[in-house]
Amino acid sequence: MPHELSPDFMQALRELMERVPTPFYAYDLRRVRAQTARYREAFAQARLFYAIKANPRLRLLEHLRAAGVGAETVSLGEVLRAYVAGYMLDEVVLNGPVKPPAALEELARAGVPTLVADGEDDLARIARYLPGARVLLRLNPDLPVDTHPHLATGRGDSQFGVLPEDWPGVFARGRELGLEMHGLHVHLGSNLNNPADFAARLEVLERLRVRVGRLEVLDLGGGFGLEMDPAALAPAMLALARRFGAELWVEPGRALVAEAGVLVARVWGFKETRRRYLLLDAGMTAFLRPALYGARPPVRPLYQASERATFDLAGPACESGDVLARDVELPVPREGDALAILEAGAYGGAMSLTYLDHPRPGEYAWDGERWEVWRRPEHLPDLWKDETDQPEYL
Ligand SMILES: Cc1ncc(COP(=O)(O)O)c(C=O)c1O
């Protein structure tokens, strides 16, 4: 069952709709706080690093940092963003399979977070540009993770990490290179709702433990789907970390923010082909997850009508894949009525695109009393401001 929006948040949304252009993202900050508290409680003996790719708005990061949550990043830009939000070096972890020399040089200037090395080449490059850095080595657990294939980073055929048979040797190589090898990182994938995946990983790690010995850090990544109960998963993860003699780190992204966010879009067209469509002012450029991962978010009307019907919800792109949801039963809207697309707080605004010259939507957060601007809506002329309209040569 999806998490329902509270009546006062729905009311605040209706008021906001009259003040800002659609489409826009809106977040219930109280839900972020509740989910963060739930994860902090379940993992009270672990360190939490929020995967900022899920929703990187600076104001959100400031709230999470104040709640004692670190930042997990995957690019130089995300590290610098975390520093702007006030994070200290030891509160930031940098992941990602590619760390170009220019990014490492910039980190040497800006401050070096804990790095997750993705393989032997990555270790060597880190040692060259950031000698003595604190490093975790990423494991590819080679498991048939149950999620969309684009999100299953822990499968053996993905490009991530070092396979179990090679991991101890590559870890030892990191020490030879003079790096501070702190521990092991493993991220199974995203949007995991099958506890069997978490259990299978524990078995892989338990088998590896005899060959690895003590570690300072065991970072088990993120991936907690919205149906997962962190309190049910945490004890086994903590027990395993203890057997490694390690501190447990986890990196939830989606779980902290997804349910707090909605995308609000207006209906500007009705169409019957072989299916019945509502045509919205938001589609794949505002919210990419349906097109990219086949996500089918729940939808709620922000209007009333007595007649009901079932619709597919399509966006304004000239692509048949630009459908945000299918077979949604709704009161029949009038032109200009608005819908709230739920579970859009993670990988929503963060992935919005300017493809087709659609400006990215504004983002606002409700704290129970007022709306705070998290990102102003983009404006059209800004979309071509970096383009040359006169000849310019290098
Ligand atoms: C290394 C790493 N950690 C954490 C996460 C967060 O995942 P999720 O948002 O599913 O919790 C991701 C996202 O895929 C990731 O790549």
Side-chain angles (χ1 to χ4, degrees):
M1 288 297 284
H3 169 74
E4 288 302 331
L5 306 176
S6 70
D8 72 319
F9 183 66
M10 292 276 266
Q11 181 52 32
L13 272 184
R14 288 193 197 93
E15 286 162 19
L16 183 62
M17 256 163 49
E18 306 308 323
R19 296 171 60 193
V20 300
T22 56
F24 62 84
Y25 281 93
Y27 308 103
D28 189 340
L29 190 53
R30 299 162 306 174
R31 184 70 190 160
V32 176
R33 291 204 174 108
Q35 281 296 92
T36 306
R38 186 170 168 223
Y39 272 75
R40 288 221 47 185
E41 200 176 307
F43 290 103
Q45 295 156 57
R47 281 187 75 185
L48 253 59
F49 294 83
Y50 165 62
I52 79 175
K53 63 169 80 67
N55 186 326
R57 299 287 72 86
L58 288 171
R59 289 295 293 142
L60 171 65
L61 300 187
E62 285 161 16
H63 284 292
L64 290 173
R65 177 164 189 268
V69 180
E72 188 269 345
T73 63
V74 288
S75 68
L76 172 66
E78 284 193 346
V79 174
L80 298 183
R81 179 182 280 275
Y83 292 165
V84 169
Y87 281 94
M88 312 301 277
L89 304 186
D90 69 346
E91 297 169 335
V92 179
V93 176
L94 171 61
N95 248 297
V98 184
K99 303 180 189 69
L104 297 177
E105 281 171 349
E106 183 57 34
L107 287 178
R109 286 187 287 273
V112 185
T114 299
L115 292 123
V116 179
D118 205 80
E120 200 160 347
D121 293 349
D122 204 21
L123 272 180
R125 195 172 311 121
I126 293 169
R128 181 159 161 224
Y129 287 91
L130 304 173
R134 288 180 314 277
V135 174
L136 311 178
L137 179 63
R138 182 156 175 169
L139 172 76
N140 178 324
D142 196 7
L143 288 169
V145 187
D146 179 11
T147 184
H148 189 281
H150 294 178
L151 300 174
T153 52
R155 288 192 190 164
D157 59 6
S158 84
Q159 66 271 46
F160 299 99
V162 178
L163 289 167
E165 57 270 31
D166 300 326
W167 196 93
V170 178
F171 191 74
R173 177 80 191 116
R175 286 210 172 107
E176 285 162 24
L177 288 165
L179 293 165
E180 272 191 45
M181 298 303 289
H182 272 216
L184 183 151
H185 179 283
V186 52
H187 173 68
L188 281 174
S190 192
N191 204 15
L192 307 178
N193 286 298
N194 185 351
D197 283 326
F198 291 85
R201 173 175 59 187
L202 295 182
E203 282 172 31
V204 170
L205 289 170
E206 193 57 59
R207 282 198 295 277
L208 192 61
R209 191 168 65 86
V210 283
R211 299 177 53 213
V212 168
R214 285 180 76 81
L215 296 173
E216 277 167 62
V217 171
L218 183 68
D219 184 337
L220 296 184
F224 306 95
L226 301 183
E227 291 158 37
M228 285 282 122
D229 176 8
L233 294 173
M237 292 163 80
L238 282 159
L240 178 76
R242 253 180 249 120
R243 289 198 289 283
F244 271 98
E247 182 175 49
L248 177 65
W249 293 7
V250 285
E251 304 172 347
R254 179 190 315 272
L256 301 193
V257 292
E259 294 167 335
V262 299
L263 173 66
V264 175
R266 288 189 196 269
V267 177
W268 290 117
F270 304 85
K271 172 72 68 69
E272 279 205 47
T273 56
R274 300 277 177 227
R275 296 186 64 89
R276 185 190 290 160
Y277 286 95
L278 295 179
L279 305 176
L280 311 183
D281 59 7
M284 60 191 288
T285 63
F287 191 32
L288 190 56
R289 289 188 55 244
L292 195 59
Y293 306 125
R296 288 289 174 247
V299 179
R300 298 290 176 265
L302 294 170
Y303 57 90
Q304 290 180 336
S306 46
E307 202 191 330
R308 295 183 76 84
T310 299
F311 301 98
D312 293 348
L313 309 184
C318 278
E319 303 203 16
S320 47
D322 191 15
V323 173
L324 294 184
R326 288 205 188 270
D327 291 320
V328 189
E329 208 219 301
L330 289 168
V332 177
R334 282 167 311 183
E335 203 173 87
D337 279 343
L339 296 168
I341 295 155
L342 308 195
E343 296 176 4
Y347 308 105
M351 295 179 99
S352 58
L353 308 168
T354 58
Y355 177 48
L356 306 173
D357 276 336
H358 284 299
R360 286 175 295 183
E363 301 185 41
Y364 311 91
W366 175 249
D367 64 7
E369 282 176 25
R370 343 175 253 190
W371 284 105
E372 187 182 10
V373 178
W374 275 7
R375 177 155 81 171
R376 290 184 282 273
E378 214 162 18
H379 291 293
L380 272 183
D382 292 340
L383 265 51
W384 44 84
K385 74 177 183 336
D386 296 323
E387 296 174 37
T388 52
D389 56 5
Q390 299 293 321
E392 182 180 313
Y393 304 100
L394 293 174

